[in-house]
Amino acid sequence: MAEMCRVEKRGRVYLLTLAGTDEHRLNPALLDAIRSALSRVRSVAVASGGSAALVVAAEGKFFSNGFDLAWARVSPSDRTPLMVSALQRTIADLLSFPMPTIAAVTGHAAAAGCFLALSHDYMIMRADRGFLYMSEIDIGVPITENIMAVLRAKIADPRTRRDLLLQGKRMTAAEAAARGIVDRAVGGAAETVEAAVAMGEELAARNWDGEVYASIRKGAFLEACSGIGLAVEEEETETKKAACKL
């Protein structure tokens, strides 16, 4: 079985890459592989100490083309809820991750793939090709409230949300940067990864406490975290732990 994702360390940056040149359709197998990689990074980072950052990128022309709808329709019963639940858990992992996270959007990010990218703290997108595209309106797939809470938290402008969700607008990196969705639009895929790693190094150099970083992130995006299943009680526990260090 081909590897779905791999992790490498570049300085103080962990680079998680979705492997292969397919569309990186999000089914439970791929999402579980991403979660497993995130868990390994978390464990290694905690054990080694020091500050770090995470970059998530993908090979091929797609960052992710959304849910694996073909997989969902193989069996007699609809397996879409399984994918939604797996995506929710993956987003929860990213929102509670104890270091800065950066999505290197190296290709098209559509539907659930766009939500995955938005779940990071920062987004850097390749400028020479690729779109952000919320295709649900075009293919007739509703968006669950817990996932929608993440989009509301990450895209504050109602007109931008309207254009993405209700028009199914395909946004280039330049337009996404102008609208404040992505932080930077740069060259091609390799340049996007390099820029994301460089940003990660800059953030890691701040030597922030990972638990405190995660706690502040959850407080800043409380609606998204609550909607996605990160309990408020967990946030309060992390805050108390951080306060004990003062």
Side-chain angles (χ1 to χ4, degrees), residues 158-186:
R159 291 186 177 182
T160 298
R161 291 201 304 267
R162 177 201 63 193
D163 292 350
L164 277 173
L165 295 170
L166 301 181
Q167 293 183 13
K169 183 177 178 60
R170 292 172 170 84
M171 288 194 183
T172 64
E175 182 174 3
R179 288 179 178 243
I181 302 174
V182 304
D183 297 279
R184 288 181 60 192
V186 297

Side-chain angles (χ1 to χ4, degrees), residues 8 10-17 53-58 102-106 123-127 184-203:
E8 60 183 288
R10 296 191 184 181
R12 286 183 286 189
V13 176
Y14 294 90
L15 175 59
L16 191 165
T17 303
L54 172 76
V55 170
V56 176
I102 306 162
V105 185
T106 45
M123 291 173 62
I124 296 180
M125 185 175 176
R126 69 182 294 181
R184 288 181 60 192
V186 297
E191 293 86 353
T192 301
V193 173
E194 290 171 4
V197 170
M199 174 184 280
E201 283 287 0
E202 292 176 3
L203 293 169

Side-chain angles (χ1 to χ4, degrees), residues 34-72:
I34 294 171
R35 294 192 70 212
S36 178
L38 292 174
S39 179
R40 293 197 305 272
V41 169
R42 183 192 293 258
S43 296
V44 171
V46 170
S48 60
S51 183
L54 172 76
V55 170
V56 176
E59 295 177 335
K61 69 177 185 178
F62 289 91
F63 179 79
S64 171
N65 202 20
F67 280 140
D68 190 346
L69 299 179
W71 174 89

